[in-house]
Amino acid sequence: MFWTRLASGIVLIAAALIVLISGGPILAGTLFAVSLIGLHEWYRALGLEKDKAVFAPLTICGYIGTGAYYLLLFLGMQAYTMTVLIGVLILMMSVYVFTYPRYRTEEITGAFFGVVYVSVMLACIYELRLAEDGLFLVWLIFISSWGCDTCAYCVGMLFGKHKMSPKLSPKKSVEGAVGGVAGAVLIGVIYGLAVGSRMKTETDHILPFAVICAAGALISMIGDLAASAVKRNHDIKDYGKLIPGHGGILDRFDSVIFIAPVIYYLAVILM
């Protein structure tokens, strides 16, 4: 399992390097595909696509909304993305009305939440990549998420004694959490020293990078635990089996999805 997980992690990092450096249509298309897969996993977890019924009326609205949202982003029409979300809500409520009593209220809210949680939040990676110095700033998302996760695991294994959330994730410790945040900040500072001279902005990069990575690391742990809470509520071990050793898209990208908007707005404000 360890070697499978390690190999998958290396492949993911290599793929992220290629896609993020390429940007443009390659990044947009990749994030769109990942969003569709993640949304499918979300709908399966909530029981909205039972018996492999991918084309359930309610979930079709979510997939259409995801496609429309990414299309507007790719065309540079970010000002109209809220219109897409309103349209998706109206479509889902229409399905709710005209297929009544097929769906319950909580299923409508879960379906709409999935579009925001998976597709919209993940799309912030593309928006940050489009920003000035986006080629460098976008990596702060992964430093905050995967850097924190790796450092927290190492510190927790060595020094972890106090459980952070025993009911949700018994293996996570307070010591690991502190180590994860500290590790993400350290990596962020080193990264800032390495790329600062190549960025267009003339402001000091070290402190903003440290603040962004600290905030991202803290919130990434909430995102990880939130994903675990959903799995426990719905009695599933993993969201999917797409990534060997890791599970599904939502299992590997749960914290990335959660912090992408946070890093994007912090980067816009602080940089």
Side-chain angles (χ1 to χ4, degrees):
M1 175 62 75
F2 171 78
W3 294 110
T4 300
R5 187 178 178 88
L6 178 62
S8 297
I10 293 172
V11 172
L12 281 175
I13 293 172
L17 278 167
I18 295 171
V19 171
L20 291 174
I21 291 173
S22 299
I26 294 177
L27 177 58
T30 301
L31 287 174
F32 173 55
V34 170
S35 294
L36 289 180
I37 297 170
L39 194 58
H40 172 62
E41 292 176 355
W42 178 260
Y43 288 156
R44 292 283 292 175
L46 267 57
L48 297 176
E49 292 181 345
K50 300 175 182 177
D51 301 322
K52 299 183 180 180
V54 178
F55 299 107
L58 182 60
T59 60
I60 288 176
C61 298
Y63 297 131
I64 291 174
T66 296
Y69 193 90
Y70 274 93
L71 179 61
L72 289 180
L73 285 182
F74 182 68
L75 294 176
M77 302 172 66
Q78 288 89 338
Y80 299 96
T81 51
M82 181 58 70
T83 305
V84 170
L85 292 180
I86 294 172
V88 170
L89 181 57
I90 292 173
L91 276 176
M92 288 184 173
M93 293 302 290
S94 298
V95 169
Y96 180 44
V97 169
F98 292 114
T99 63
Y100 189 86
R102 177 171 179 172
Y103 296 107
R104 297 179 60 82
T105 308
E106 55 268 27
E107 292 177 313
I108 304 299
T109 55
F112 181 74
F113 177 80
V115 176
V116 178
Y117 172 57
V118 180
S119 306
V120 174
M121 295 178 75
L122 196 61
C124 288
I125 296 176
Y126 180 70
E127 294 194 70
L128 182 54
R129 179 63 177 80
L130 290 177
E132 185 178 27
D133 288 324
L135 176 60
F136 303 105
L137 295 175
V138 72
W139 290 102
L140 295 176
I141 295 173
F142 299 92
I143 290 173
S144 299
S145 174
W146 295 349
C148 174
D149 187 43
T150 302
C151 293
Y153 175 79
C154 294
V155 174
M157 288 290 292
L158 293 172
F159 307 106
K161 292 182 180 180
H162 302 87
K163 302 299 182 183
M164 184 171 67
S165 182
K167 292 185 178 180
L168 274 180
S169 188
K171 294 182 179 180
K172 291 189 183 336
S173 65
V174 175
E175 292 82 1
V178 173
V181 174
V185 171
L186 178 60
I187 297 172
V189 169
I190 294 173
Y191 178 67
L193 290 171
V195 304
S197 61
R198 301 174 60 187
M199 296 177 67
K200 295 178 182 178
T201 53
E202 297 180 357
T203 58
D204 176 52
H205 303 96
I206 306 305
L207 181 58
F209 274 28
V211 172
I212 290 171
C213 287
L218 285 168
I219 296 173
S220 74
M221 289 185 283
I222 298 175
D224 184 34
L225 291 172
S228 297
V230 173
K231 288 190 286 188
R232 287 185 178 274
N233 281 162
H234 294 276
D235 297 319
I236 58 175
K237 183 178 183 296
D238 295 314
Y239 283 104
K241 299 178 180 179
L242 180 65
I243 308 172
H246 293 270
I249 289 295
L250 296 184
D251 295 295
R252 179 64 278 181
F253 289 87
D254 49 6
S255 57
V256 170
I257 289 171
F258 215 70
I259 67 172
V262 176
I263 302 298
Y264 169 66
Y265 287 111
L266 281 177
V268 170
I269 294 171
L270 297 177
M271 302 301 297

